[in-house]
């Protein structure tokens, strides 16, 4: 199990930038971020551009019209569950 942190970002569209700023202060190399729901709409946020490991549920990615960045990895529900189990610490920000 990884000793790093998995951040689950489930904030609404208007609060997502503030949540990403908070995560950027906590984020360490080896951590990962999952954008969920409306949070995927903040894919252009500077932190998302530099985040090493960034995920989103494939269902939520349907909200995006633009081409997806190469560092954004799509998850189905099974791989999302596996990802959560791979981390010993998960933090949900809403």
């Amino acid at each position: 199990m990884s000793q790093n942190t998995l951040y689950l970002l489930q904030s609404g569209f208007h609060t997502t930038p503030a949540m990403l700023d908070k995560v950027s202060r906590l984020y360490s190399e080896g951590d990962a971020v999952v954008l969920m729901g409306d949070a995927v709409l903040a894919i252009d946020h500077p932190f998302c551009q530099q985040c090493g490991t960034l995920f989103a549920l494939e269902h939520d990615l349907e909200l995006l019209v633009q081409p997806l960045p190469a560092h954004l990895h799509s998850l189905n529900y099974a791989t999302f569950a596996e990802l959560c189990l791979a981390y010993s610490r998960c933090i949900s920000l809403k």
Side-chain angles (χ1 to χ4, degrees):
M1 227 184 250
S2 172
Q3 293 301 312
N4 296 47
T5 302
L6 178 65
Y7 295 96
L8 306 175
L9 192 60
Q10 300 171 296
S11 57
F13 176 73
H14 294 292
T15 57
T16 298
M19 291 295 119
L20 286 169
D21 290 340
K22 183 182 235 181
V23 171
S24 71
R25 291 189 300 272
L26 301 170
Y27 187 87
S28 298
E29 186 176 332
D31 290 350
V33 176
V34 180
L35 300 175
M36 303 173 77
D38 288 351
V40 299
L41 297 172
I43 195 67
D44 290 330
H45 187 278
F47 174 71
C48 291
Q49 300 301 312
Q50 65 188 9
C51 179
T53 310
L54 187 64
F55 297 95
L57 295 170
E58 62 187 10
H59 178 267
D60 296 336
L61 290 174
E62 294 174 4
L63 295 171
L64 299 177
V65 200
Q66 62 194 15
L68 301 177
H71 66 284
L72 177 64
H73 307 282
S74 177
L75 299 170
N76 61 33
Y77 290 111
T79 55
F80 173 67
E82 290 172 9
L83 181 67
C84 290
L85 292 172
Y87 284 81
S88 59
R89 184 176 34 210
C90 291
I91 297 176
S92 177
L93 299 165
K94 297 179 183 184

